[in-house]
């Protein structure tokens, strides 16, 4: 598929075939974009073009289990060591002898990126984390156990744990309706999936927001109809395995420059305990080279002829010098609406 000059290829990394979308000359510094759930490389299509125009080599893979990349069947193949291994091998594949990259990541992509920064800081020049802050390892409680205790069995991550169960419920609605619900519906409170009508009434007609067209939704739905949701869900099913594998990093700090960007009504940001961690000193303690931006629920900047760094003070401290606000660039404008990234 060709879109705005974006090129596509498949590379062999860490024992799987991974699909890449990229734009920009091979000599430019690499900006690596990692998507979340239920998304694809397509999330970053406008950003690839915008960064390439600025002289960067912009790269967005379909992560393991998604889109046109391989999807191992077992949930144990989606541990943090597997997926970070994929990204390490990808960085090596991109050339430059494993030169560090500029990293931009959202949702599950951000989770993977935090692990990459923790395990291989030598490969990350700077990291822009969207919506998901660092999550330090609890020394005594596994993640799923903790979520069940605090949020209940209907909490969405808990409902994702049983292999095949949520997939069968998704099949009753169809990929298009479920993706539309997840991306476009903004109900207040914790995201819960009750056993009856987990994704709402099958007759509900959720209005698409301005940043998500029917064409976009069709692209996602087509890929998920073909691939299924199991690959993406397996990341959630490996949460406790990640806890077991990372005991050696308990209390470790992330020592790369990080810019954390989140909307004030974002789902993750409003999860109990997250604001306290972000603003109470815990986040800064765990990520010493951190600065963060909390955006109002409706935020709009129209482009000017000034440099992106002049649009918003993103440079100091820590020499975080690449134009991070172009991650939200969408054709002739960029915006955050209801705390969600404009694609």
């Amino acid at each position: 598929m060709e879109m705005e000059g974006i090129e596509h290829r498949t590379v062999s990394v860490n024992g799987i075939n991974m699909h890449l979308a990229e734009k920009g000359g091979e000599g430019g510094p690499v900006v690596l974009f990692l998507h979340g759930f239920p998304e694809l490389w397509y999330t970053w299509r406008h950003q690839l073009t915008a960064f390439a125009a600025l002289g960067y080599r912009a790269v967005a893979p379909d992560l393991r289990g998604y889109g046109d990349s391989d999807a191992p069947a077992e949930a144990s193949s989606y541990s943090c060591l597997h997926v970070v291994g994929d990204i390490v091998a990808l960085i090596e594949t991109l050339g430059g002898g494993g030169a560090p990259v500029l990293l931009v990541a959202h949702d599950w992509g951000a989770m993977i990126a935090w692990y990459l920064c923790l395990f291989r800081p030598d490969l990350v020049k700077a990291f822009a984390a969207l919506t998901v802050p660092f999550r330090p390892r609890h020394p005594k409680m596994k993640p799923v156990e903790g979520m069940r205790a605090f949020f209940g069995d209907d909490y969405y991550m808990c409902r994702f744990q049983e292999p095949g169960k949520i997939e069968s419920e998704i099949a009753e609605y169809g990929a298009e309706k479920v993706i539309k619900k997840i991306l476009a519906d903004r109900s207040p409170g914790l995201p819960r999936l009750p056993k009856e009508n987990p994704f709402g009434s099958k007759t509900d007609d959720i209005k698409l927001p301005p940043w998500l067209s029917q064409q976009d939704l069709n692209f996602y739905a087509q890929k998920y109809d073909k691939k299924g949701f199991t690959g993406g869900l397996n990341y959630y099913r490996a949460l406790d395995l990640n806890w077991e594998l990372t005991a050696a990093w308990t209390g470790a700090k992330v020592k790369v420059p990080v810019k954390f960007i989140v909307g004030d009504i974002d789902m993750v940001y409003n999860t109990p305990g997250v604001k306290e961690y972000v603003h109470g000193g815990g986040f800064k303690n765990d990520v010493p080279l951190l600065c963060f931006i909390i955006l109002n629920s409706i935020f709009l900047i129209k482009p000017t002829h000034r440099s992106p760094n002049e649009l918003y003070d993103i440079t100091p401290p820590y020499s975080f010098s690449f134009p991070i606000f172009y991650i939200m660039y969408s054709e002739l404008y960029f915006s955050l609406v209801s705390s969600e990234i404009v694609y």
Side-chain angles (χ1 to χ4, degrees), residues 13-283:
V13 297
N14 195 28
I16 66 166
N17 294 311
M18 175 175 278
H19 165 249
L20 302 182
E22 58 184 325
K23 190 170 184 179
E26 292 191 4
V30 174
V31 184
L32 181 60
F33 295 90
L34 304 182
H35 67 77
F37 175 86
E39 301 173 39
L40 301 163
W41 76 266
Y42 186 84
T43 292
W44 304 109
R45 63 197 179 282
H46 297 300
Q47 289 74 27
L48 295 181
T49 297
F51 272 91
L54 295 170
Y56 295 90
R57 182 183 181 188
V59 180
D62 281 334
L63 294 171
R64 171 184 292 242
Y66 289 90
D68 294 321
S69 294
D70 285 350
E74 298 298 321
S76 59
S77 295
Y78 293 79
S79 77
C80 56
L81 298 185
H82 287 85
V83 295
V84 170
D86 297 345
I87 303 305
V88 169
L90 172 59
I91 293 171
E92 293 285 345
T93 299
L94 293 175
V101 301
L102 300 164
L103 191 60
V104 181
H106 171 242
D107 189 68
W108 253 108
M111 291 281 287
I112 296 165
W114 284 117
Y115 280 123
L116 176 64
C117 292
L118 192 63
F119 299 160
R120 293 295 306 271
D122 58 305
L123 296 180
V124 182
K125 187 177 297 183
F127 171 35
L130 308 184
T131 75
V132 177
F134 180 66
R135 297 184 178 184
R137 182 183 183 275
H138 194 287
K140 297 182 179 179
M141 182 178 292
K142 293 183 178 182
V144 177
E145 175 189 354
M147 288 184 288
R148 289 193 193 281
F150 288 102
F151 305 142
D153 290 338
D154 284 349
Y155 185 61
Y156 78 106
M157 290 195 193
C158 299
R159 289 276 276 118
F160 286 171
Q161 294 304 308
E162 184 180 346
K165 176 63 174 173
I166 199 69
E167 286 95 328
S168 66
E169 296 175 9
I170 289 172
E172 294 178 10
Y173 287 82
E176 179 180 334
K177 195 168 188 67
V178 169
I179 294 169
K180 185 178 182 181
K181 172 77 172 178
I182 294 173
L183 294 183
D185 186 42
R186 284 295 162 263
S187 301
L190 286 172
R192 300 187 183 279
L193 299 176
K195 292 180 173 58
E196 291 187 10
N197 299 323
F199 298 98
S201 170
K202 296 180 178 65
T203 60
D204 283 350
D205 186 20
I206 300 171
K207 183 179 179 181
L208 287 174
W211 50 266
L212 183 67
S213 71
Q214 186 61 47
Q215 181 180 359
D216 298 333
L217 185 60
N218 291 344
F219 183 90
Y220 285 113
Q222 179 186 23
K223 291 294 184 180
Y224 277 87
D225 279 334
K226 180 180 178 181
K227 185 71 127 193
F229 286 78
T230 298
L233 293 167
N234 278 341
Y235 286 76
Y236 296 91
R237 293 165 184 160
L239 283 169
D240 282 352
L241 176 58
N242 291 342
W243 183 87
E244 295 172 5
L245 293 172
T246 55
W249 286 273
T250 302
K253 299 182 187 301
V254 174
K255 297 181 179 179
V256 302
V258 174
K259 179 77 73 175
F260 176 63
I261 304 175
V262 68
D264 63 352
I265 60 171
D266 178 79
M267 180 186 74
V268 175
Y269 182 60
N270 285 279
T271 300
V274 172
K275 287 183 180 179
E276 292 81 358
Y277 174 69
V278 169
H279 298 286
F283 195 10

Side-chain angles (χ1 to χ4, degrees), residues 244-320:
E244 295 172 5
L245 293 172
T246 55
W249 286 273
T250 302
K253 299 182 187 301
V254 174
K255 297 181 179 179
V256 302
V258 174
K259 179 77 73 175
F260 176 63
I261 304 175
V262 68
D264 63 352
I265 60 171
D266 178 79
M267 180 186 74
V268 175
Y269 182 60
N270 285 279
T271 300
V274 172
K275 287 183 180 179
E276 292 81 358
Y277 174 69
V278 169
H279 298 286
F283 195 10
K284 181 70 172 179
N285 181 68
D286 292 331
V287 187
L289 303 181
L290 168 74
C291 53
F292 57 81
I293 301 169
I294 311 299
L295 296 173
N296 292 330
S297 56
I298 297 179
F299 178 81
L300 175 65
I301 298 179
K302 293 186 178 180
T304 72
H305 294 292
R306 294 177 294 166
S307 74
N309 285 348
E310 291 179 293
L311 294 178
Y312 201 98
D313 183 14
I314 64 168
T315 318
Y318 316 130
S319 300
F320 201 108

